[in-house]
Amino acid sequence: MPDVQPLVSDFVLKLKRRKVEGSHAVARQTAELLRSVVSQHRMGSSANQAAALADAVRAVGEQLIAANPIELAVGNIVRRVLHIIKEEDISSTAVGIEGLSVTVDSDDEYDSEHDDGPALSAAVLAAHARNALRAPSLQTLLEDIPVTPAISRTASSTGDSDGKSKSGDKSSTRKLKHDVITAIGDLIDEIDSCYEPISEQAVELIHQNEVILTLGRSRTVKEFLYAAKEKKRSFRVFVAEGAPRYQGHVLAKELVEKGVQTTVITDSAVFAMISRVNMVIVGAHAIMANGGVIAPVGMNMVALAAQRHAVPFVVVAGSHKLCPLYPHNPEVLLNELKSPSDLLDFGEFSDCMNFSTQDGSPLLNVVNPTFDYVPPKLVSLFVTDTGGHSPSYMYRLIAEYYSADDLVVRRKSGS
């Protein structure tokens, strides 16, 4: 793929340097890149064009996932595209089989004039269907299609239709590629519009004079609260500031600009304030197959506080954040350590260095994790663009988006 490789290399570099922020932006750009990969892929003479196309996507997907393993949205989109290729291949195969049936049925007039010849059997039709998926060979013809008068009539016209068959193969190949590109375009539209169907459910969950608590800043949560405000709901929001990045300060300002009564609290005050709260609404970095949530650091503390005081803990997220992996899978990195500079400036940190030793090992260590893991037992409800779901239902929802043999994105051996 000489035309698309510079795009792949550029995006890999962006992922490594963390220049693409937010799972939504990462998911969208990954889908756009894979659409370009499919568009530029040259469909060769391979019998299984869908497998060749999927292998090209896997080759790029391996690079993207390795560039930033903690950004699970990349792997999610790669797996979604692989699932799309399989679905479109199955769909085109079904259409081909249906076309064969129509062709056989259309020969009734000819068969009525030659009743002495045996009719095509189900085995013969199945052989035709299998041959539609691979290049025909003499061995295939000998094994699957016995020589009968009915087949002889078909075989007598084979020479005239060789050119049409080749053109039909090219046409089906182009159709597969076109259908995959169209489906990826639909996936991009789904990612772009995920906030709307989620926000439409806000009026069903947020009632008059309720008190909502959230942590940090999530665009999905912001749009969710905006929608409730536009429906004339009167409610208050407690925003835990989300140290050390303090994204909660940004969300608080955005909510106030929309006329939402907002109170900023420290993260350590969550337990003290949770008794006044009717509902906790938070975003997520990823939703795992078991219903667990990877979320910004401090979220597990909020979930424990909500459980202790019987407050519903609601997670809002787009379907591109649904990950088919489990937290114990070796491909999953549950956390990432950020720079200590978020907590201490380098001047303060250098004062804590012990320069009397040869290696200058620090006396003070700073640990700055990025994410928390919230187990499914602490989650009351997931609100996605497909509706509200319990944690126990997530694995079934995820099964609709991914194929089981694509959980580990790796090129097939020998490809």
Side-chain angles (χ1 to χ4, degrees):
M1 294 174 292
D3 297 332
V4 79
Q5 189 57 45
L7 297 176
V8 175
S9 301
D10 181 62
F11 191 53
V12 166
L13 190 60
K14 287 181 179 179
L15 290 174
K16 286 182 177 179
R17 296 181 177 179
R18 309 300 196 264
K19 287 189 175 183
V20 184
E21 293 189 2
S23 297
H24 181 272
V26 169
R28 193 186 196 287
Q29 292 187 33
T30 302
E32 289 178 341
L33 177 62
L34 293 180
R35 182 170 61 177
S36 299
V37 170
V38 173
S39 177
Q40 297 296 330
H41 179 70
R42 295 180 179 178
M43 307 294 269
S45 58
S46 172
N48 195 338
Q49 298 292 348
L53 189 59
D55 201 54
V57 172
R58 287 192 187 92
V60 175
E62 279 187 285
Q63 300 178 56
L64 301 182
I65 294 172
N68 190 354
I70 197 67
E71 189 52 80
L72 296 175
V74 174
N76 295 343
I77 299 302
V78 173
R79 297 181 185 95
R80 285 284 296 272
V81 172
L82 291 173
H83 184 63
I84 286 172
I85 294 173
K86 290 183 179 179
E87 283 190 324
E88 296 300 334
D89 183 41
I90 292 173
S91 176
S92 62
T93 301
V95 171
I97 294 175
E98 183 179 353
L100 284 173
S101 301
V102 171
T103 302
V104 172
D105 292 341
S106 66
D107 290 339
D108 289 343
E109 182 179 352
Y110 184 90
D111 291 339
S112 63
E113 299 175 359
H114 301 79
D115 291 335
D116 55 333
L120 292 176
S121 66
V124 174
L125 292 179
H128 275 293
R130 289 194 297 271
N131 290 337
L133 305 180
R134 63 176 184 266
S137 65
L138 180 61
Q139 183 70 20
T140 302
L141 295 173
L142 291 176
E143 289 182 354
D144 293 339
I145 307 180
V147 178
T148 64
I151 297 301
S152 298
R153 293 195 301 268
T154 305
S156 63
S157 61
T158 301
D160 298 333
S161 61
D162 282 344
K164 294 182 180 179
S165 176
K166 292 179 180 179
S167 62
D169 291 341
K170 291 181 180 179
S171 177
S172 62
T173 297
R174 287 195 298 268
K175 184 178 185 304
L176 172 64
K177 189 174 178 179
H178 176 269
D179 291 345
V180 170
I181 292 173
T182 302
I184 296 176
D186 294 339
L187 173 59
I188 294 173
D189 292 340
E190 174 189 311
I191 296 172
D192 287 338
S193 62
C194 69
Y195 301 112
E196 297 176 9
I198 293 175
S199 299
E200 289 173 357
Q201 303 170 66
V203 70
E204 301 175 5
L205 293 176
I206 300 178
H207 303 101
Q208 198 72 8
N209 299 323
E210 284 195 329
V211 180
I212 310 298
L213 182 135
T214 189
L215 172 71
R217 179 178 182 268
S218 165
R219 181 182 172 184
T220 313
V221 172
K222 181 184 72 173
E223 298 291 342
F224 195 79
L225 297 176
Y226 280 2
K229 181 63 178 178
E230 291 174 357
K231 295 296 183 180
K232 307 303 180 182
R233 289 285 193 266
S234 177
F235 57 93
R236 297 173 58 196
V237 179
F238 288 168
V239 181
E241 57 187 359
R245 298 183 64 194
Y246 301 106
Q247 290 294 299
H249 297 172
V250 180
L251 177 62
K253 182 179 179 181
E254 293 171 338
L255 292 177
V256 169
E257 291 174 350
K258 283 288 184 177
V260 179
Q261 189 175 359
T262 307
T263 303
V264 177
I265 64 174
T266 62
D267 297 340
S268 57
V270 168
F271 262 98
M273 304 299 293
I274 195 70
S275 60
R276 307 182 186 184
V277 172
N278 301 108
M279 183 184 302
V280 175
I281 301 178
V282 297
H285 176 71
I287 300 174
M288 310 306 292
N290 65 336
V293 179
I294 298 179
V297 66
M299 200 66 76
N300 189 60
M301 174 189 66
V302 176
L304 289 171
Q307 183 192 50
R308 176 67 179 81
H309 290 268
V311 175
F313 186 87
V314 178
V315 178
V316 293
S319 57
H320 60 276
K321 293 186 178 182
L322 300 179
C323 181
L325 303 177
Y326 289 84
H328 57 76
N329 288 138
E331 300 84 9
V332 177
L333 293 179
L334 289 179
N335 224 323
E336 182 181 39
L337 298 181
K338 291 290 189 178
S339 170
S341 63
D342 290 339
L343 303 177
L344 298 175
D345 63 41
F346 287 109
E348 295 178 71
F349 190 69
S350 62
D351 294 340
C352 300
M353 297 291 289
N354 182 7
F355 293 102
S356 61
T357 60
Q358 184 176 1
D359 58 355
S361 58
L363 297 176
L364 174 66
N365 294 305
V366 178
V367 179
N368 183 16
T370 305
F371 300 112
D372 257 350
Y373 173 70
V374 181
K377 65 180 181 180
L378 300 181
V379 180
S380 305
L381 179 70
F382 287 103
V383 178
T384 71
D385 40 357
T386 61
H389 308 285
S390 65
S392 61
Y393 183 78
M394 296 313 294
Y395 81 97
R396 294 184 60 185
L397 181 63
I398 286 173
E400 298 177 6
Y401 291 108
Y402 305 100
S403 300
D405 52 351
D406 291 329
L407 299 186
V408 178
V409 179
R410 187 179 298 123
R411 281 174 288 183
K412 303 299 183 183
S413 59
S415 60

